[in-house]
Amino acid sequence: MGKVYVFPGQGAQFSGMGKELYEQNAEAKAMFERANEILGFRITDIMFEGSADDLKQTKVTQPAIFLHSVILAKVLGVEPSAVAGHSLGEFSALVVAGALSFEEGLQLVSKRAMAMQSACEATQGTMAAILALPDKTIEDICAKVEGVVIAANYNCPGQLVISGAIEAVNEACSQLKEAGARRALILPVGGAFHSPLMEPARQELAEAIEAASFNKPRCPIYQNVDAKPHTCPTEIKQNLMAQLTSPVRWTQTIEQMSADGFNSYIELGPGNVLQGLIRKISANAEVESKSNF
């Protein structure tokens, strides 16, 4: 089996991201400049020189990670045998696999960021990382807590993020600690991503996804909502629409890829978070991270 390209999500950004790509490769530079035009501001200035706070701006974070990932994959020029992305990274994966154009992918990511920001401002939500408890225990406790709280990011065995209304998340954290969680840590995020509280953002983004042109990808994309490989544009669109209010099944995605015979992964974009997660999910996986070509 060939290489799998995987793409990181929000939180992987850092000052200077993509700068070497821009300076060392003409094709990369042209794509970055095209992105500046599409977005209507020089996102490259913030990516290359901005502070951590600058990079945390809603309009910047998601497009910046997307651009770093997609442009790096384009410059490398190797065709993956399969792709997957963590949350936001799914959009990078779709563009690299040819299911979406670079321009439409960037516009959707920008719209996604703004829609999520609006939903965060309209709802009082948060997320918490739960360490060292079985997924089933976490799911059962969340189901009993009053209010909205669900398992949102299945990152790797022993690491799951819950998401929902602030009071419900706090109550779940208390009960999860009692049940033996090593940590139940509230995360510094603006809202309850991948939970039903993102429904206003899902509706807004669904309209944009519906209007975008999707093609049959050149290789399967394993999607967050069901951890299964997809090549049908209609299915891909439906899964993408459901993504904002559904859990990210990263553990199950890597398990499924492994069962399907994939063993070699390249993480493309900022950071190396996925490399660490994949090693915890699949002990014999070969994983490397690249943030430059």
Side-chain angles (χ1 to χ4, degrees):
M1 304 291 275
K3 298 260 183 204
V4 177
Y5 280 7
V6 293
F7 301 93
Q10 202 159 331
Q13 68 274 8
F14 64 90
S15 184
M17 60 190 284
K19 190 176 182 187
E20 289 174 318
L21 271 177
Y22 181 95
E23 291 173 349
Q24 295 169 8
N25 186 281
E27 186 181 14
K29 184 175 182 177
M31 288 178 79
F32 275 121
E33 288 298 346
R34 177 82 185 104
N36 287 335
E37 283 174 32
I38 291 167
L39 293 170
F41 67 97
R42 290 196 62 79
I43 193 170
T44 48
D45 291 352
I46 306 170
M47 288 172 70
F48 305 161
E49 313 294 342
S51 68
D53 279 347
D54 294 334
L55 279 165
K56 267 197 229 163
Q57 293 176 73
T58 303
K59 68 175 183 176
V60 174
T61 314
Q62 294 189 32
I65 294 164
F66 167 87
L67 288 171
H68 190 172
S69 294
V70 169
I71 293 173
L72 177 59
K74 180 80 174 146
V75 168
L76 284 173
V78 183
E79 278 294 320
S81 298
V83 293
H86 191 290
S87 189
L88 159 72
E90 189 159 287
F91 288 81
S92 309
L94 285 166
V95 171
V96 171
L100 265 177
S101 72
F102 173 66
E103 288 80 4
E104 286 205 283
L106 178 57
Q107 285 163 344
L108 284 178
V109 165
S110 180
K111 187 151 278 189
R112 180 182 192 266
M114 297 306 187
M116 285 170 76
Q117 178 68 23
S118 298
C120 288
E121 287 163 5
T123 57
Q124 295 295 302
T126 192
M127 302 175 83
I130 313 301
L131 301 185
L133 267 187
D135 292 351
K136 179 79 169 69
T137 306
I138 299 169
E139 290 165 355
D140 290 349
I141 287 173
C142 285
K144 289 180 192 142
V145 170
E146 203 172 310
V148 176
V149 56
I150 67 159
N153 291 359
Y154 293 82
N155 286 333
C156 67
Q159 189 195 81
L160 195 153
V161 175
I162 62 173
S163 181
I166 290 172
E167 283 181 17
V169 171
N170 284 332
E171 175 57 32
C173 284
S174 298
Q175 293 190 27
L176 289 162
K177 279 181 192 160
E178 283 172 23
R182 192 167 77 234
R183 298 284 294 279
L185 183 71
I186 299 289
L187 298 175
V189 293
F193 305 144
H194 298 289
S195 86
L197 296 185
M198 283 289 116
E199 180 57 25
R202 188 200 68 76
Q203 288 177 12
E204 203 175 318
L205 189 60
E207 286 178 28
I209 290 170
E210 194 56 69
S213 301
F214 281 73
N215 310 305
K216 188 176 164 69
R218 292 187 295 273
C219 67
I221 170 159
Y222 285 71
Q223 290 191 274
N224 289 177
V225 297
D226 64 1
K228 291 180 178 150
H230 293 276
T231 53
C232 165
T234 310
E235 285 175 14
I236 288 169
K237 276 173 95 161
Q238 292 302 322
N239 289 336
L240 205 57
M241 286 178 191
Q243 195 219 54
L244 273 184
T245 50
S246 305
V248 174
R249 301 184 181 279
W250 192 252
T251 302
Q252 297 88 332
T253 296
I254 301 305
E255 286 171 349
Q256 185 62 55
M257 284 183 161
S258 189
D260 292 345
F262 292 108
N263 190 45
S264 183
Y265 302 85
I266 304 178
E267 177 180 6
L268 294 177
N272 58 3
V273 169
L274 299 183
Q275 180 177 325
L277 297 181
I278 291 168
R279 286 191 173 136
K280 286 175 181 159
I281 300 164
S282 177
N284 61 349
E286 294 168 15
V287 201
E288 58 179 312
S289 293
K290 282 181 183 283
S291 59
N292 197 22
F293 62 96

